Amino acid sequence: MNKKLIAVFSLFLAFTAFGQTKKLTLEDGVLQQYRAFRADNVLGFQWIPNTNNYIFFENFGQKVMVASTSNTKATELVSISDLNKALGTSFRGFFGIEWKDANTFILSEGTKFYEYNVATKSGKQIAELPEVAENQTFDNNKENIAFTEKNNLFFINKNNQKVAVTNESNEGIVSGQTYARSEFGIHNGIFWSPNANFLAFYQKDETKVADYPLLDINETPGKLQNIKYPMIGQESEKPRVGIYNLATAKTVFITPKGNVDDYLTNLSWTPDEKYILIAEVNRGQNDMSLHLYDAKTGAFVRTLLNEKNSKWVEPEHPAFFPNSKSNNFIWISEKYGFNNLYYYSIEGKLIKQLTQNKFVTTGIIGANPSGTEIYFSATGPNPTNMLAYKVDLKGKQTLLTKEEGVHNFSVSNDGNWFFDEFSNHTTPSKSLLLDKNLKAKVLVESKNKYADYQMGTSEIKTIKAGDGTTDLYTRLIKPSNFDPSKKYPVMVYVYGGPHAQMITNSYLDGANLWMYWMAEQGYLVFTVDNRGSENRGLAFENVIHAKLGIAEMEDQLKGVEYLKSLPYVDGNRLAVHGWSYGGFMTTSLMLRKPDTFKVGVAGGPVTDWKFYEVMYGERYMDTPAENQQGFDEASTLNYVKNLKGKLLLIHGTSDDVVVMQQNFALVKKFIEAEKQVDFFPYPMHKHNVTGKDRVHLMRKVLDYIIENNK
């Protein structure tokens, strides 16, 4: 090789090396995972109603682009500047648009709502709600919009008239909002009937629920803000379901058939608007009945099905009606261990168990126009995946997503086309358009946005749980300059509670980007999804019932055992960090297994379950009257004398989920036991510290671990 070629080749190597030596900052790790490092995808994908056209956003929401299944080359439909010129508005982007028909979409600016016609390139303001309006909900035809003002429910009709549905002067009677602290899959409190002839809504009576004080330090003097917080074993909300008839302007109410504080949840309308279906769960959460009610009178018609379990029954999905001309419905149940689909008649007769999978169904995506095929999401045999399937009414099941990973799946109006966007361990993001034969066209495939950065590697493995038989998934992140001949300290990141899964077959394997920053500081970062966590089935999850922390700690210690078996792990330099349930796990491990971890950082921890709320807490622990031994055993307050390592406790002072009393009670016990711990508050933050303050939080957490785990 001549000298000139050698020089050019050396220069190429130098540029290549330089290009891969950018270093992540902690600010990058906390704030930029879904911003600067967000994978390229089809942003804001939506099918346009009654067409095979679809839209998405470009230039960070500055343009709406349109394409079709027959021609995927996108063209500009409307720009934000053209929209603002037509409407006389000052929108900054298109996020949150809803289609009214094939030519018209609706979007809002504050409490003002506008519609825009893409064919005529014109639009108008269609409604203006009061400034205090919340929970805005359009009917299916986008003509009426319901909303709440404080504790009452209203709607603006298609004639732009404001109609009061409730007029309660008692602020403890709350209508149209989510209730039961958003458990049981509840995400809203307003339910329009299919043709908007009725408006159903949740109403909760929380007058006897205890007030819990939060301090607003932004006032001089500080101002008390009371929230309603029903603690385990104490007075809870009393629910009703109201049904407002738009023709008669009258409301009928449905109350629980059992006790007044049972739960009414998973509300759905039949397609013909004659009935509503409501799941009633007893307060003990071990007995659920799906009831049918007459929409006009509120009268009970019949019980469609009943499920009991000695530990808990937790319906999370309303009845799904695959055919708009039939009242037959699909119900999702895990009564035999895993969520599966069951097809029922409106008389309550089981027509067919459609799926019999030994893995978890997570939700129904939709149905084809004839209602003969139902599309649903499920983990598949590998629970770190999220896949899409279809099943017909005879029970024939088909996997629609051929590549493993975490998929976001959408079905076209005619059921002949599918949009599939996914990532996995090796794929940052891939967006596909599939025809009915599952032949795929790639719309977007993202490059690796981390390619120029020093980034470590992640590996997913399995270990055996504390029971010796159950497989648990682990994730181990190593630094980019990993040397197997060295000994590394480890930070264990833990959550460990129900309804959460830390390890997924997605890009970065479900990890937070700051974990990769931590690895570059010379750490291994380890996580195990213990028994009790999500997407593994009922038996895997309910082993924790009435004894929170026991199986979870057993499994975390199996993770520690695995770590110590690795020749490159320094078993004397282990740290643990978690938030919320992970905070409970962190304090439990530091106090009940005091020789395991040298350092712990617990954020927003549950320290004693008697301070937690009714709905979640009583499902997993029952009440102190029923399970005092379990509460005593789980309470970290009873183990403060065992502390050996360094412990930092963190809490948002306005936390309305895990209230400050939890942490204060533990600190008080440490003082009484003459044990030194560290405590750091985040004033005016709720359960999660968000925004730029989160950088401060993670620097506090990680610096504490690095400084004390030497």
Side-chain angles (χ1 to χ4, degrees), residues 494-572:
V494 60
Y495 181 78
H499 294 295
Q501 182 183 29
M502 298 293 102
I503 302 164
T504 58
N505 184 18
S506 56
Y507 207 58
L508 302 189
D509 298 322
N512 293 309
L513 184 56
W514 61 258
M515 296 178 184
Y516 286 82
W517 178 89
M518 186 63 169
E520 292 304 295
Q521 313 313 304
Y523 262 77
L524 303 177
V525 181
F526 180 76
T527 294
V528 56
D529 275 330
N530 52 244
R531 286 171 294 162
S533 56
E534 189 176 41
N535 288 335
R536 297 292 303 276
L538 185 59
F540 184 92
E541 186 171 341
N542 73 16
V543 69
I544 67 176
H545 181 253
K547 47 186 179 181
L548 294 185
I550 302 299
E552 301 95 303
M553 283 193 295
E554 289 177 0
D555 292 352
Q556 291 297 323
L557 292 180
K558 284 294 182 180
V560 170
E561 185 180 303
Y562 165 70
L563 286 171
K564 289 184 174 180
S565 74
L566 301 174
Y568 44 80
V569 165
D570 185 344
N572 296 316

Coordinates of all heavy atoms in Angstrom, one line a residue, residues 494-572:
V494 N -35.0 -1.9 40.4 CA -36.1 -2.7 40.7 C -37.4 -2.0 40.7 O -37.5 -0.8 41.1 CB -35.9 -3.4 42.1 CG1 -35.8 -2.3 43.2 CG2 -37.0 -4.4 42.4
Y495 N -38.4 -2.6 40.1 CA -39.8 -2.2 40.4 C -40.5 -3.3 41.1 O -40.8 -3.2 42.3 CB -40.5 -1.8 39.1 CG -42.0 -1.4 39.4 CD1 -42.2 -0.1 39.9 CD2 -43.0 -2.2 39.3 CE1 -43.5 0.4 40.2 CE2 -44.3 -1.8 39.6 CZ -44.5 -0.5 40.1 OH -45.8 -0.1 40.4
G496 N -40.8 -4.4 40.4 CA -41.2 -5.6 41.1 C -42.7 -5.8 41.4 O -43.1 -6.8 41.9
G497 N -43.5 -4.7 41.2 CA -44.9 -4.8 41.5 C -45.8 -5.2 40.4 O -45.4 -5.3 39.2
P498 N -47.1 -5.3 40.7 CA -48.1 -5.7 39.6 C -48.2 -4.6 38.6 O -47.9 -3.4 38.8 CB -49.4 -5.8 40.4 CG -49.0 -6.0 41.8 CD -47.7 -5.3 42.0
H499 N -48.7 -5.0 37.4 CA -49.0 -4.1 36.3 C -47.7 -3.3 35.8 O -47.8 -2.2 35.4 CB -50.1 -3.1 36.7 CG -51.4 -3.8 36.9 ND1 -52.1 -4.5 35.8 CD2 -52.2 -4.0 38.0 CE1 -53.2 -5.0 36.3 NE2 -53.3 -4.7 37.6
A500 N -46.6 -4.0 35.9 CA -45.4 -3.4 35.3 C -44.5 -4.5 34.8 O -44.3 -5.5 35.5 CB -44.7 -2.5 36.3
Q501 N -43.8 -4.2 33.7 CA -42.8 -5.1 33.2 C -41.6 -4.3 32.7 O -41.7 -3.4 31.9 CB -43.4 -5.9 32.0 CG -42.5 -6.9 31.3 CD -43.2 -7.5 30.1 OE1 -44.0 -6.9 29.4 NE2 -42.8 -8.8 29.8
M502 N -40.5 -4.6 33.3 CA -39.3 -3.8 33.1 C -38.5 -4.2 31.8 O -37.8 -3.4 31.2 CB -38.4 -3.8 34.3 CG -39.0 -3.2 35.6 SD -39.3 -1.4 35.5 CE -41.1 -1.4 35.2
I503 N -38.6 -5.5 31.5 CA -37.8 -6.1 30.5 C -38.7 -6.5 29.3 O -39.5 -7.3 29.4 CB -37.0 -7.3 31.0 CG1 -36.2 -6.9 32.2 CG2 -36.1 -7.9 29.9 CD1 -35.7 -8.0 33.0
T504 N -38.5 -5.8 28.2 CA -39.2 -6.1 27.0 C -38.3 -6.3 25.8 O -37.2 -5.7 25.8 CB -40.3 -5.0 26.7 OG1 -39.5 -3.8 26.5 CG2 -41.3 -4.9 27.8
N505 N -38.8 -7.0 24.8 CA -38.0 -7.2 23.5 C -38.3 -6.0 22.6 O -38.8 -6.0 21.5 CB -38.4 -8.4 22.8 CG -37.6 -8.7 21.6 OD1 -36.5 -8.1 21.4 ND2 -38.0 -9.6 20.7
S506 N -37.8 -4.8 23.1 CA -37.9 -3.5 22.4 C -36.5 -3.0 22.3 O -35.6 -3.5 22.9 CB -38.8 -2.6 23.1 OG -38.4 -2.3 24.4
Y507 N -36.3 -1.9 21.6 CA -34.9 -1.3 21.5 C -34.5 -0.8 22.9 O -35.3 -0.2 23.5 CB -34.9 -0.2 20.4 CG -33.5 -0.1 19.9 CD1 -32.9 -1.2 19.2 CD2 -32.8 1.1 19.9 CE1 -31.6 -1.1 18.7 CE2 -31.5 1.2 19.4 CZ -30.9 0.1 18.8 OH -29.7 0.2 18.3
L508 N -33.3 -1.1 23.2 CA -32.8 -0.9 24.6 C -33.4 -1.8 25.6 O -33.1 -1.7 26.8 CB -32.9 0.6 25.1 CG -32.3 1.6 24.2 CD1 -32.3 3.0 24.9 CD2 -30.8 1.3 23.8
D509 N -34.2 -2.8 25.1 CA -34.7 -3.9 26.0 C -35.6 -3.4 27.2 O -35.6 -4.0 28.2 CB -33.6 -4.7 26.5 CG -32.8 -5.4 25.4 OD1 -33.5 -5.8 24.4 OD2 -31.6 -5.5 25.5
G510 N -36.2 -2.2 26.9 CA -37.1 -1.7 28.0 C -36.4 -0.8 29.0 O -37.0 -0.3 29.9
A511 N -35.1 -0.6 28.8 CA -34.3 0.1 29.8 C -34.4 1.6 29.5 O -34.7 2.1 28.4 CB -32.8 -0.3 29.7
N512 N -34.2 2.4 30.6 CA -34.1 3.9 30.5 C -32.7 4.2 30.0 O -31.7 3.5 30.3 CB -34.3 4.5 31.8 CG -35.7 4.4 32.3 OD1 -36.7 4.6 31.6 ND2 -35.9 3.9 33.5
L513 N -32.6 5.2 29.2 CA -31.3 5.6 28.6 C -30.3 6.0 29.7 O -29.1 5.7 29.5 CB -31.5 6.8 27.6 CG -30.2 7.2 26.8 CD1 -29.6 6.1 26.1 CD2 -30.6 8.3 25.9
W514 N -30.7 6.5 30.8 CA -29.8 6.9 31.9 C -29.1 5.6 32.4 O -28.0 5.8 33.0 CB -30.4 7.7 33.0 CG -31.6 7.0 33.7 CD1 -32.9 7.2 33.6 CD2 -31.4 6.0 34.8 NE1 -33.6 6.4 34.4 CE2 -32.7 5.7 35.2 CE3 -30.3 5.4 35.4 CZ2 -33.0 4.8 36.2 CZ3 -30.6 4.5 36.4 CH2 -31.9 4.2 36.8
M515 N -29.7 4.5 32.3 CA -29.0 3.3 32.7 C -27.7 3.0 31.9 O -26.7 2.5 32.4 CB -30.0 2.1 32.6 CG -31.1 2.2 33.5 SD -32.3 0.8 33.4 CE -33.6 1.3 34.5
Y516 N -27.8 3.3 30.6 CA -26.6 3.2 29.8 C -25.5 4.2 30.1 O -24.3 4.0 30.1 CB -27.0 3.3 28.3 CG -27.7 2.1 27.8 CD1 -29.1 1.9 28.0 CD2 -27.0 1.1 27.1 CE1 -29.7 0.7 27.6 CE2 -27.6 -0.1 26.7 CZ -29.0 -0.2 26.9 OH -29.6 -1.4 26.5
W517 N -26.0 5.4 30.5 CA -25.0 6.4 31.1 C -24.4 5.9 32.3 O -23.1 6.0 32.5 CB -25.8 7.7 31.4 CG -24.9 8.8 32.0 CD1 -24.1 9.7 31.3 CD2 -24.6 9.0 33.4 NE1 -23.4 10.5 32.2 CE2 -23.7 10.0 33.5 CE3 -25.0 8.3 34.6 CZ2 -23.2 10.5 34.7 CZ3 -24.5 8.8 35.8 CH2 -23.6 9.9 35.9
M518 N -25.2 5.3 33.2 CA -24.6 4.7 34.4 C -23.6 3.6 34.1 O -22.5 3.5 34.8 CB -25.7 4.2 35.3 CG -25.3 3.7 36.7 SD -24.6 5.1 37.7 CE -24.6 4.2 39.3
A519 N -23.8 2.8 33.1 CA -22.9 1.8 32.8 C -21.6 2.4 32.3 O -20.5 1.8 32.6 CB -23.5 0.9 31.6
E520 N -21.6 3.5 31.6 CA -20.4 4.2 31.2 C -19.6 4.7 32.3 O -18.4 5.1 32.1 CB -20.7 5.3 30.2 CG -21.3 4.8 28.8 CD -20.3 3.7 28.2 OE1 -19.2 4.1 27.8 OE2 -20.8 2.6 28.1
Q521 N -20.2 4.8 33.5 CA -19.4 5.2 34.7 C -18.7 4.1 35.3 O -18.1 4.2 36.4 CB -20.3 5.9 35.7 CG -21.3 6.9 35.2 CD -20.6 7.9 34.2 OE1 -19.7 8.6 34.6 NE2 -21.2 8.0 33.0
G522 N -18.7 2.9 34.7 CA -18.0 1.8 35.2 C -18.8 0.8 36.0 O -18.3 0.1 36.9
Y523 N -20.1 0.8 35.7 CA -21.1 0.0 36.4 C -21.7 -1.1 35.5 O -21.8 -0.9 34.3 CB -22.2 0.9 37.0 CG -22.0 1.2 38.4 CD1 -21.1 2.2 38.8 CD2 -22.7 0.6 39.4 CE1 -20.9 2.5 40.1 CE2 -22.5 0.9 40.8 CZ -21.6 1.9 41.1 OH -21.4 2.2 42.4
L524 N -22.2 -2.1 36.1 CA -23.2 -3.0 35.5 C -24.5 -2.6 36.1 O -24.7 -2.3 37.3 CB -22.9 -4.4 35.9 CG -21.5 -5.0 35.5 CD1 -21.4 -6.4 36.0 CD2 -21.3 -4.9 34.0
V525 N -25.5 -2.6 35.2 CA -26.9 -2.2 35.6 C -27.8 -3.4 35.4 O -27.9 -3.9 34.2 CB -27.4 -1.0 34.9 CG1 -28.8 -0.6 35.4 CG2 -26.5 0.2 35.1
F526 N -28.4 -3.9 36.4 CA -29.1 -5.2 36.4 C -30.6 -5.1 36.8 O -30.9 -4.3 37.7 CB -28.4 -6.2 37.3 CG -29.0 -7.6 37.4 CD1 -28.8 -8.5 36.3 CD2 -29.8 -8.0 38.4 CE1 -29.4 -9.8 36.4 CE2 -30.4 -9.2 38.5 CZ -30.2 -10.1 37.5
T527 N -31.5 -5.8 36.1 CA -32.9 -5.8 36.5 C -33.4 -7.2 36.3 O -33.0 -7.9 35.4 CB -33.7 -4.9 35.6 OG1 -33.3 -3.5 35.9 CG2 -35.2 -5.0 35.8
V528 N -34.3 -7.6 37.2 CA -35.0 -8.9 37.1 C -36.5 -8.6 37.3 O -36.9 -7.9 38.2 CB -34.5 -10.0 38.1 CG1 -34.5 -9.5 39.5 CG2 -35.3 -11.3 37.9
D529 N -37.3 -9.1 36.4 CA -38.8 -9.1 36.6 C -39.2 -10.2 37.4 O -39.4 -11.4 37.0 CB -39.5 -9.1 35.2 CG -39.6 -7.7 34.6 OD1 -39.6 -6.7 35.4 OD2 -39.6 -7.6 33.4
N530 N -39.4 -9.9 38.7 CA -39.8 -11.0 39.7 C -41.2 -11.4 39.6 O -42.0 -10.8 38.9 CB -39.5 -10.6 41.1 CG -40.1 -9.2 41.5 OD1 -39.4 -8.3 41.7 ND2 -41.4 -9.2 41.5
R531 N -41.5 -12.5 40.3 CA -42.9 -12.9 40.4 C -43.8 -11.8 41.0 O -43.3 -11.1 41.9 CB -43.1 -14.2 41.2 CG -42.6 -15.5 40.5 CD -42.6 -16.6 41.5 NE -41.5 -16.4 42.6 CZ -41.5 -17.0 43.7 NH1 -42.4 -17.9 44.0 NH2 -40.5 -16.8 44.6
G532 N -45.0 -11.6 40.4 CA -45.8 -10.5 40.8 C -45.9 -9.5 39.8 O -46.8 -8.6 39.8
S533 N -44.9 -9.4 38.8 CA -44.9 -8.4 37.8 C -45.8 -8.9 36.6 O -46.5 -9.9 36.7 CB -43.5 -8.1 37.3 OG -42.9 -9.3 36.9
E534 N -45.9 -8.1 35.6 CA -47.0 -8.1 34.6 C -46.6 -9.1 33.4 O -45.5 -9.4 33.2 CB -47.2 -6.7 34.0 CG -48.4 -6.6 33.1 CD -48.7 -5.2 32.7 OE1 -47.7 -4.4 32.4 OE2 -49.8 -4.7 32.7
N535 N -47.7 -9.5 32.7 CA -47.7 -10.2 31.5 C -47.1 -11.6 31.6 O -46.6 -12.2 30.6 CB -46.9 -9.4 30.4 CG -47.6 -8.2 29.9 OD1 -48.9 -8.2 30.0 ND2 -46.9 -7.2 29.5
R536 N -47.3 -12.3 32.7 CA -46.9 -13.7 32.9 C -48.1 -14.6 33.3 O -47.9 -15.8 33.6 CB -45.8 -13.8 33.9 CG -44.5 -13.1 33.5 CD -43.8 -13.7 32.3 NE -43.5 -15.1 32.5 CZ -42.4 -15.5 33.1 NH1 -41.5 -14.6 33.6 NH2 -42.2 -16.8 33.3
G537 N -49.3 -14.0 33.5 CA -50.4 -14.8 33.8 C -50.8 -14.7 35.3 O -50.0 -14.2 36.1
L538 N -51.9 -15.2 35.7 CA -52.5 -15.0 37.0 C -51.7 -15.7 38.1 O -51.4 -15.1 39.1 CB -53.9 -15.6 37.0 CG -54.7 -15.3 38.3 CD1 -54.8 -13.8 38.6 CD2 -56.1 -16.0 38.2
A539 N -51.2 -16.9 37.9 CA -50.5 -17.6 39.0 C -49.2 -16.9 39.2 O -48.7 -16.8 40.4 CB -50.3 -19.1 38.6
F540 N -48.5 -16.4 38.2 CA -47.2 -15.7 38.4 C -47.5 -14.5 39.2 O -46.6 -14.1 40.0 CB -46.7 -15.4 37.0 CG -45.3 -14.7 37.0 CD1 -44.2 -15.5 36.9 CD2 -45.2 -13.4 37.0 CE1 -42.9 -14.9 36.9 CE2 -43.9 -12.8 37.0 CZ -42.8 -13.6 37.0
E541 N -48.6 -13.8 38.9 CA -48.8 -12.5 39.6 C -49.4 -12.7 41.0 O -49.0 -12.0 41.9 CB -49.8 -11.6 38.7 CG -49.9 -10.2 39.3 CD -50.7 -9.3 38.4 OE1 -50.8 -9.6 37.2 OE2 -51.2 -8.3 38.8
N542 N -50.4 -13.6 41.1 CA -51.1 -13.6 42.4 C -50.4 -14.4 43.5 O -50.9 -14.5 44.7 CB -52.5 -14.0 42.3 CG -52.7 -15.5 42.0 OD1 -51.9 -16.3 42.2 ND2 -53.9 -15.9 41.5
V543 N -49.2 -14.9 43.3 CA -48.4 -15.5 44.4 C -48.1 -14.5 45.5 O -47.8 -14.8 46.6 CB -47.1 -16.1 43.8 CG1 -46.1 -15.0 43.3 CG2 -46.4 -17.0 44.8
I544 N -48.2 -13.2 45.2 CA -47.9 -12.1 46.1 C -49.0 -11.8 47.1 O -48.9 -11.0 48.0 CB -47.4 -10.8 45.4 CG1 -48.6 -10.2 44.6 CG2 -46.2 -11.1 44.5 CD1 -48.2 -8.9 44.0
H545 N -50.2 -12.4 46.8 CA -51.4 -11.9 47.5 C -51.3 -12.1 49.0 O -50.8 -13.1 49.5 CB -52.6 -12.8 47.1 CG -53.9 -12.4 47.8 ND1 -54.5 -13.2 48.7 CD2 -54.7 -11.3 47.6 CE1 -55.6 -12.6 49.2 NE2 -55.7 -11.4 48.5
A546 N -51.6 -11.0 49.7 CA -51.6 -11.0 51.2 C -50.3 -11.0 51.8 O -50.2 -11.0 53.1 CB -52.5 -12.1 51.8
K547 N -49.2 -11.0 51.1 CA -47.8 -11.1 51.6 C -46.9 -10.3 50.7 O -45.9 -10.9 50.2 CB -47.4 -12.5 51.9 CG -47.7 -13.5 50.7 CD -47.4 -14.9 51.1 CE -47.7 -15.8 49.9 NZ -47.4 -17.3 50.3
L548 N -47.2 -9.1 50.4 CA -46.3 -8.3 49.5 C -44.9 -8.2 50.0 O -44.6 -8.0 51.1 CB -46.9 -6.9 49.3 CG -48.3 -6.8 48.6 CD1 -48.7 -5.3 48.4 CD2 -48.3 -7.6 47.3
G549 N -44.0 -8.5 49.1 CA -42.6 -8.4 49.3 C -41.9 -9.7 49.5 O -40.6 -9.8 49.3
I550 N -42.6 -10.7 49.9 CA -41.9 -12.0 50.2 C -41.4 -12.7 48.9 O -40.1 -12.9 48.8 CB -42.9 -13.0 50.9 CG1 -43.4 -12.3 52.2 CG2 -42.2 -14.3 51.2 CD1 -42.3 -12.0 53.2
A551 N -42.2 -13.1 48.0 CA -41.8 -13.7 46.8 C -40.9 -12.8 46.0 O -39.9 -13.2 45.3 CB -43.0 -14.2 45.9
E552 N -41.2 -11.5 46.0 CA -40.5 -10.5 45.2 C -39.0 -10.5 45.7 O -38.1 -10.4 44.9 CB -41.1 -9.1 45.3 CG -42.6 -9.1 44.8 CD -43.5 -9.2 46.0 OE1 -43.5 -10.2 46.7 OE2 -44.4 -8.3 46.2
M553 N -38.8 -10.4 47.0 CA -37.5 -10.4 47.6 C -36.7 -11.7 47.3 O -35.5 -11.7 47.0 CB -37.5 -10.1 49.1 CG -37.7 -8.7 49.4 SD -37.4 -8.3 51.1 CE -38.6 -9.3 52.0
E554 N -37.4 -12.8 47.4 CA -36.8 -14.1 47.1 C -36.2 -14.1 45.7 O -35.1 -14.6 45.4 CB -37.8 -15.3 47.2 CG -38.3 -15.6 48.6 CD -39.3 -16.7 48.6 OE1 -39.7 -17.2 47.5 OE2 -39.8 -17.0 49.7
D555 N -37.0 -13.6 44.7 CA -36.6 -13.5 43.3 C -35.5 -12.5 43.1 O -34.5 -12.8 42.3 CB -37.8 -13.2 42.4 CG -38.8 -14.4 42.4 OD1 -38.5 -15.4 43.0 OD2 -39.9 -14.2 41.8
Q556 N -35.5 -11.4 43.8 CA -34.4 -10.4 43.7 C -33.1 -11.0 44.2 O -32.1 -10.8 43.7 CB -34.8 -9.1 44.4 CG -35.9 -8.3 43.7 CD -35.6 -7.8 42.3 OE1 -34.4 -7.5 42.0 NE2 -36.6 -7.8 41.4
L557 N -33.2 -11.8 45.3 CA -32.0 -12.4 45.8 C -31.5 -13.5 44.9 O -30.3 -13.7 44.9 CB -32.3 -13.0 47.2 CG -32.6 -11.9 48.3 CD1 -32.9 -12.6 49.6 CD2 -31.4 -11.0 48.5
K558 N -32.4 -14.1 44.2 CA -31.9 -15.1 43.1 C -31.1 -14.3 42.1 O -30.2 -14.8 41.5 CB -33.1 -15.8 42.5 CG -33.6 -16.9 43.4 CD -32.6 -18.0 43.6 CE -33.1 -19.2 44.4 NZ -32.1 -20.3 44.6
G559 N -31.6 -13.1 41.8 CA -30.8 -12.2 40.8 C -29.5 -11.9 41.4 O -28.5 -11.9 40.6
V560 N -29.4 -11.6 42.7 CA -28.1 -11.3 43.3 C -27.2 -12.5 43.3 O -26.0 -12.4 43.0 CB -28.3 -10.8 44.8 CG1 -27.0 -10.7 45.5 CG2 -29.0 -9.4 44.8
E561 N -27.8 -13.7 43.6 CA -27.0 -14.9 43.5 C -26.4 -15.1 42.1 O -25.3 -15.5 42.0 CB -28.0 -16.1 43.9 CG -27.3 -17.4 44.0 CD -28.4 -18.5 44.3 OE1 -29.0 -18.3 45.4 OE2 -28.5 -19.5 43.6
Y562 N -27.2 -14.8 41.1 CA -26.8 -15.0 39.7 C -25.6 -14.0 39.4 O -24.6 -14.3 38.9 CB -27.9 -14.7 38.7 CG -27.5 -14.4 37.3 CD1 -26.9 -15.4 36.5 CD2 -27.6 -13.2 36.7 CE1 -26.5 -15.2 35.2 CE2 -27.2 -12.9 35.4 CZ -26.6 -13.9 34.7 OH -26.2 -13.7 33.4
L563 N -25.8 -12.7 39.9 CA -24.7 -11.7 39.7 C -23.4 -12.2 40.3 O -22.4 -12.1 39.7 CB -25.2 -10.4 40.3 CG -26.2 -9.6 39.6 CD1 -26.7 -8.4 40.4 CD2 -25.7 -9.1 38.2
K564 N -23.5 -12.7 41.6 CA -22.3 -13.1 42.3 C -21.6 -14.3 41.6 O -20.5 -14.6 41.9 CB -22.6 -13.4 43.7 CG -22.9 -12.1 44.5 CD -23.2 -12.4 46.0 CE -23.3 -11.1 46.8 NZ -23.5 -11.4 48.2
S565 N -22.4 -15.0 40.8 CA -21.8 -16.1 40.1 C -20.9 -15.7 38.9 O -20.2 -16.5 38.3 CB -22.9 -17.1 39.6 OG -23.6 -16.6 38.5
L566 N -21.1 -14.4 38.5 CA -20.4 -13.9 37.4 C -19.0 -13.5 37.8 O -18.8 -12.7 38.8 CB -21.1 -12.7 36.7 CG -22.5 -13.1 36.2 CD1 -23.2 -11.8 35.8 CD2 -22.5 -14.1 35.1
P567 N -17.9 -13.9 37.1 CA -16.5 -13.6 37.5 C -16.2 -12.1 37.5 O -15.2 -11.7 38.2 CB -15.7 -14.4 36.5 CG -16.5 -14.6 35.3 CD -17.9 -14.7 35.9
Y568 N -17.0 -11.3 36.8 CA -16.6 -9.9 36.6 C -17.5 -9.0 37.5 O -17.5 -7.8 37.4 CB -16.8 -9.5 35.2 CG -18.0 -10.0 34.5 CD1 -19.2 -9.4 34.6 CD2 -18.0 -11.1 33.6 CE1 -20.4 -9.8 34.0 CE2 -19.1 -11.6 33.0 CZ -20.3 -10.9 33.2 OH -21.4 -11.4 32.6
V569 N -18.2 -9.6 38.5 CA -19.0 -8.8 39.4 C -18.3 -8.7 40.8 O -17.9 -9.8 41.3 CB -20.4 -9.5 39.6 CG1 -21.2 -8.9 40.8 CG2 -21.3 -9.2 38.3
D570 N -18.3 -7.5 41.3 CA -17.8 -7.3 42.6 C -19.0 -7.4 43.6 O -19.7 -6.5 43.8 CB -17.1 -5.9 42.7 CG -16.5 -5.7 44.1 OD1 -16.8 -6.4 45.0 OD2 -15.7 -4.7 44.2
G571 N -19.1 -8.6 44.2 CA -20.2 -8.9 45.1 C -20.3 -8.1 46.3 O -21.3 -8.1 47.0
N572 N -19.2 -7.3 46.6 CA -19.2 -6.5 47.8 C -19.6 -5.0 47.5 O -19.7 -4.2 48.4 CB -17.8 -6.5 48.5 CG -17.4 -7.8 49.0 OD1 -18.2 -8.5 49.6 ND2 -16.2 -8.2 48.7

